[in-house]
Every structure is written in structure tokens, then in C-alpha cells.
Amino acid sequence: MIKVHQVNLYRTQGRSQRQILDHCDLEVASGERLAIMGESGAGKSTLLHLIAGLEHPDSGHIQVDGDTLEGRTPAQLCQYRKRIGLVFQQFNLLPTLTVADNVLFQHRLNALNNERAVKDTIAAPLGLMPLWDLYPDQLSGGEQQRVAIARALAHQPTLILADEPTGNLDEQTGDEVMALFAQLTRQLGQTLVMVTHSSRVAATLERTLHLRQGRLHD
Ligand SMILES: Nc1ncnc2c1ncn2[C@@H]1O[C@H](COP(=O)(O)OP(=O)(O)O)[C@@H](O)[C@H]1O
Ligand SMILES: [Mg+2]
């Protein structure tokens, strides 16, 4: 499903240039669930951004479902991103919208019309029905994160990219939310790439790779 081939990426920091990704390769099969670990600053978020088409490599190729990301117009990239669900460490919920509207926002933007299914297959398993009409500032951190996860899944993406999604929660809450999240992606048959600091969370997924010196290692 995902093929990252010999990707190089440089960043300018002050007057020097640093190579963040160095001939980086990655293959993820459809339906596979992968954890990526690595030190802070190793380039984990950058790698997810490249797969999401939010940033572009200096050289090398990225393919998702056989389609190459390079050379696409912004409109084509937007179309591509409809297949992807993104979960960031910051929940980025819209404060003036209820839980229901936060979750269904992208579903509606994508002109999908199956709110019942979102409730039954995503919101209810994540325990969101009792919170459905509340606003984000009425929720705990763990509850907000469950809303952010539901929102990322609500437009029925085939690929989920999650960037340290438990980073802001206490360990127990984080692990509970992750267990639910992992279970849900398995049920929905989605491919998952999750950046995490937690080896306990990584152990719940099928494979773990470590990003070190610009490349992924077992
Ligand atoms: N917008 C940016 N401009 C310049 N350097 C950046 C930018 N974003 C990240 N970096 C640098 O790129 C490197 C990789 O960052 P990142 O992918 O966020 O690492 P990680 O997610 O593994 O902590 C770091 O050295 C970081 O400081
Ligand atoms: Mg990061």
C-alpha cells in the first residue's frame, strides 16, 4: 500500500543544512499496522508528512496504492488526502462545534451521507455517544483525543497516519485510548502507521521500525 523508495530530505537550520531522511525506504502492506519509534528530532513527523503529501522529498519516490505522489497538483493532492485519516498529538478540535459536528465535519465535507454508520461503527465503540452534544472544553484530554480519532476515521479512509497520539495524555489514559484505536483500525481493515514513544503501544501493533540517522531499522 505504501512504498517509500530512497527518499532524501534536507532541512536548512540556521546557516547549515541537515539531512533528515537519508535514502529512506519503507514498505507497508495493505491492512498492516506499523509503529515507528525514534528519538525526538529523528524525522518521524516529517516522514508522516511526506506520506500524507503535506511535504515533498528532495529526491526519491513515494507511492501509495500504486500512485506516485510527486508531480501532483494541489487539487490532486487534496483528492489523494481523502483516503487518509490524520491524527495529531494536538487534538485541534473546533471549539465552537459539538462533538457530533467535530466528528462529522470531514464526513460531510467529503459528501458522504452515512452519519448513522459513523455513529454505530466509530463513535459508539469509542464511547462518544454520551458526549455527543457537548463542546470540546467540556471534555477531558482522553475524551478529546477519542473525538479526534473518531474524526480521523469518519470519512472512511483506508490509511491512518497517527503522530504520537498519546503524547499529551497520562500513560494509563493514553494506553486505553490506543487500545480502542488499534482495535477499531483492525475491525475496519485500515492500514495504520503510528509514531509513538511508547513501546507498550508499539507492542500492540504488528511491526515496529526505528528511525535512526535518516533510515528505518528493525
Ligand atoms: N519547519 C521546519 N523547519 C526547519 N526544520 C524543521 C522543521 N520542522 C522540523 N524541523 C527539523 O527537522 C528535524 C526532524 O523533525 P521531526 O520530523 O519533527 O522529528 P520527530 O517527529 O522525529 O521528532 C528536526 O531536527 C527538526 O528540528
Ligand atoms: Mg514529531
Side-chain angles (χ1 to χ4, degrees), residues 17-172:
Q17 246 207 353
R18 200 186 131 208
Q19 186 162 11
I20 309 294
L21 297 175
D22 179 5
H23 299 86
C24 184
D25 286 325
L26 170 67
E27 286 196 29
V28 185
S30 182
E32 188 180 7
R33 296 172 317 133
L34 168 73
I36 295 181
M37 301 186 75
E39 284 179 11
S40 181
K44 305 178 298 296
S45 298
T46 305
L47 181 59
L48 288 192
H49 292 166
L50 292 174
I51 296 170
L54 296 168
E55 289 187 71
H56 304 285
D58 290 302
S59 62
H61 306 281
I62 298 173
Q63 280 188 343
V64 177
D65 280 337
D67 295 332
T68 306
L69 296 193
E70 67 207 61
R72 293 202 177 200
T73 64
Q76 287 170 329
L77 280 172
C78 279
Q79 198 59 35
Y80 162 70
R81 273 189 223 111
K82 289 186 180 175
R83 290 188 240 166
I84 300 181
L86 294 169
V87 185
F88 294 111
Q89 185 170 5
Q90 304 298 329
F91 308 141
N92 298 321
L93 301 178
L94 295 170
T96 56
L97 298 184
T98 61
V99 167
D101 289 334
N102 267 286
V103 170
L104 293 169
F105 189 69
Q106 229 183 0
H107 184 83
R108 291 173 183 150
L109 277 184
N110 284 272
L112 297 168
N113 207 351
N114 204 351
E115 299 189 2
R116 185 77 245 162
V118 174
K119 276 191 179 181
D120 292 346
T121 62
I122 297 165
L126 285 167
L128 295 181
M129 294 329 296
L131 313 173
W132 203 233
D133 297 314
L134 299 182
Y135 288 85
D137 66 0
Q138 297 174 296
L139 307 179
S140 70
E143 290 168 343
Q144 290 184 32
Q145 183 59 302
R146 285 188 273 134
V147 177
I149 289 170
R151 178 186 53 189
L153 302 182
H155 63 294
Q156 299 160 355
T158 51
L159 170 61
I160 314 295
L161 303 174
D163 197 355
E164 305 195 34
T166 54
N168 283 334
L169 305 178
D170 66 77
E171 208 167 38
Q172 197 194 332

Side-chain angles (χ1 to χ4, degrees), residues 11-18 20:
R11 280 204 205 283
T12 310
Q13 293 178 331
R15 270 179 299 170
S16 60
Q17 246 207 353
R18 200 186 131 208
I20 309 294

